């Protein structure tokens, strides 16, 4: 048993590391897999391949996008990511054994330190804009270093130095074009390795020539390529925002390159077991600390909400909000949409923090994420043109100019509903070249060709909801009128009525609430929703002083709670109980005590798009 442990402990550590990485991305951060997939669309075909391969690092980008598309099945994506982490660690270890006395036994005591670049990568990927193409390029560079050791393994062979020279001449430009500036890691590694091994003026000259040759390759490319010099040295597709390079990216490249040489300066452990345990404790402790600080909870809450909306997990959205109150318009709009889809919006509106009218329709921002829940709300309300516009703007805002399978699909759906079949077919032909959207695209094409669009219940319903007037002009600053027009033309659109009434309550506009309230008879509620009861009973008591004679069926519990609220409010408007459940979960608290104060706060005008 002891012999087995002694033989396989290193491999066991690597596998355990892979399992932890898999759990991390498959459980608490599963939504990130979907986030990465939805902002790129891998297409099979020669045109797409040549489009990627014609820029430095194009092959890394192509492979990275191929792997990222598998995140459509998140568990598969997490498994691939775990394998990449393990490959990175094992390749670093192979280099360490090559450099340190050609694999002396004493180096085994330093095995845990080979996890350092992988742990640093884990920390870096707290930034959701790190692309898998960087990991691919990093691995390619490390494998190129290993291959250099293979071609130079026999110094007694007369032509070995010519083979090494030929390898350098061919490999460096090829590496740069296929995998990008991670090629500089290979050049630096070869230069240092030759200098350490030879310790002569000739070796120093050779190392210098390798570095000059690597820089010359980039400068030559700069002359013929229309890319800033910054991108040619830092990477075009390693990061979603081409104009920015994270400091951690450079740090990982440096550590992965120099770690094998650093080990030559470290002593051999006499007590290997103690050394291994010490390194593991330091790596686990330090890794946990930095990883926990690298993953911003606010940012990943947003990603989680977006994922749950995309996958229509309405109950989980509500459960998430019950555990932790949402605080931003993006989050609040997702919760309100989930409530509406579950038929709970008008009853439970004020059980959750509300951000004014922006909690229903967040103000437009030109980025790739924030328009998504608003587009989803518009789509389900029947505001098809506005749903398409927000989806299109989100896709065009993707920083590295990729397409999105999710957003392209939504654009197609909107065009089909509007009868714009030629436009829809153009996008469908593109999706047919993808892996996971091809089946859906073929179904939609067949449905259009057979003229059976109205047989689809979703398309049929949204066609009946959408605005029929040709002279209609959308105004986001008058959303109540937009919602009212939708509802009046089709009383079956109950979601439009609920959003209309909740919009007026969130605007604290009781006059318009009263104006629209009679339309509720067409919504066929079994009872007056709780939020409406609270608004009605507050108005009645303000005008009449008691509950007597109310024309509505107000539940006794609502009246009792209002009496409790008024009694506390009249004594002390700063009483903490007014801001805590159950009193805080009322329209009265929102209207009189809420953070926005008593002043009516309207929805901020949408920023100009064009």
């Amino acid at each position: 048993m002891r012999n087995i442990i002694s033989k396989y402990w290193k491999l066991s550590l690597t596998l355990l590391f892979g399992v932890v990485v898999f759990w991390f991305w498959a459980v608490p951060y599963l939504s990130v897999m979907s986030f990465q997939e939805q902002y790129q669309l891998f297409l099979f075909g020669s045109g797409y391949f040549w489009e990627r391969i014609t820029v430095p690092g194009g092959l890394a980008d192509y492979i990275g996008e191929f792997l990222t598309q598998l995140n459509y099945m998140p568990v598969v994506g997490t498994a691939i990511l775990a394998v990449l982490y393990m490959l990175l660690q094992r390749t670093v270890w192979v280099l360490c054994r090559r450099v340190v006395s050609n694999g002396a036994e004493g180096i085994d005591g330093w095995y845990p330190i080979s996890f350092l670049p992988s742990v640093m990568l884990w920390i870096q990927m707290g930034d959701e804009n790190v692309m898998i193409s960087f990991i691919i390029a990093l691995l390619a560079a490390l494998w190129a270093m290993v291959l250099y050791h293979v071609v130079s393994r026999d110094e007694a062979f007369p032509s070995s130095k010519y083979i090494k020279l030929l390898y350098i001449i061919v490999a460096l430009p090829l590496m740069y074009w296929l995998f990008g500036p991670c090629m500089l890691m290979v050049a630096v590694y070869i230069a240092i390795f030759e200098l350490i091994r030879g310790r002569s003026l000739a070796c120093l000259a050779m190392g210098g020539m390798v570095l000059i040759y690597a820089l010359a390759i980039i400068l030559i490319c700069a002359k013929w390529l229309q890319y800033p010099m910054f991108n040619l040295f830092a990477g075009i597709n390693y990061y979603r925002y081409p104009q920015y390079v994270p400091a951690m990216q450079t740090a990982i490249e440096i550590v992965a390159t120099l770690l094998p040489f650093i080990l030559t300066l470290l002593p051999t452990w006499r007590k290997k077991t103690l050394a291994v345990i010490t390194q593991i404790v330091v790596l686990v402790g330090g890794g946990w600390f930095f990883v926990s600080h690298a993953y911003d909870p606010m940012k990943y809450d947003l990603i989680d909400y977006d994922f749950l909306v995309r996958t229509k997990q309405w109950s989980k959205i509500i459960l998430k909000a019950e555990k932790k109150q949402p605080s931003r318009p993006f989050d609040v709009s997702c919760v309100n949409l989930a409530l509406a889809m579950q038929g709970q919006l008008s009853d439970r509106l004020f059980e959750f923090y509300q951000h004014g009218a922006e909690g229903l329709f967040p103000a437009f921002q030109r980025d790739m994420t924030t328009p998504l829940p608003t587009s989803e709300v518009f789509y389900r309300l029947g505001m098809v043109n506005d749903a398409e516009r927000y989806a299109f703007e989100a896709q065009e805002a993707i920083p590295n100019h990729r397409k999105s399978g999710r957003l392209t699909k939504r654009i197609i759906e909107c065009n089909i509903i509007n009868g714009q079949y030629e436009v829809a077919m153009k996008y469908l032909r593109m999706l047919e070249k993808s892996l996971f959207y091809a089946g859906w695209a073929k179904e939609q094409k067949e449905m259009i060709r057979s003229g059976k669009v109205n047989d689809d219940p979703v398309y049929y319903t949204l066609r009946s909801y959408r605005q029929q007037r040709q002279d209609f002009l959308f105004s986001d600053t008058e959303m109540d009128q937009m919602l009212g027009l939708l509802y009046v033309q089709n009383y079956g659109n109950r979601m439009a009525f609920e959003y209309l009434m909740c919009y007026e309550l969130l605007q604290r506009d009781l006059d318009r609430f009263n104006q629209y309230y009679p339309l509720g008879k067409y919504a066929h509620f079994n009872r007056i929703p709780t939020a409406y009861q609270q608004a009605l009973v507050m108005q009645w008591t303000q005008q009449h002083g008691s509950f007597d004679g109310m024309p509505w069926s107000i539940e006794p519990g609502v009246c009792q709670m209002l009496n409790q609220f008024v009694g506390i409010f009249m004594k002390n408007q700063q009483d903490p109980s007014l801001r805590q459940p159950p009193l805080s979960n009322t329209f009265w608290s929102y209207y009189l005590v809420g953070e926005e104060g008593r002043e009516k706060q309207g929805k901020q005008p949408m920023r100009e798009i064009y």
Side-chain angles (χ1 to χ4, degrees), residues 242-257:
Q243 70 275 17
Y244 176 72
V245 176
M248 184 61 82
Q249 174 181 310
T250 304
I252 292 171
E253 293 172 337
I254 292 173
V255 170
T257 304

Side-chain angles (χ1 to χ4, degrees), residues 539-554:
Q539 293 179 84
W540 178 266
T541 54
Q542 285 177 338
Q543 297 170 5
H544 299 85
S546 71
F547 302 122
D548 297 335
M550 284 191 301
W552 314 287
S553 299
I554 304 298

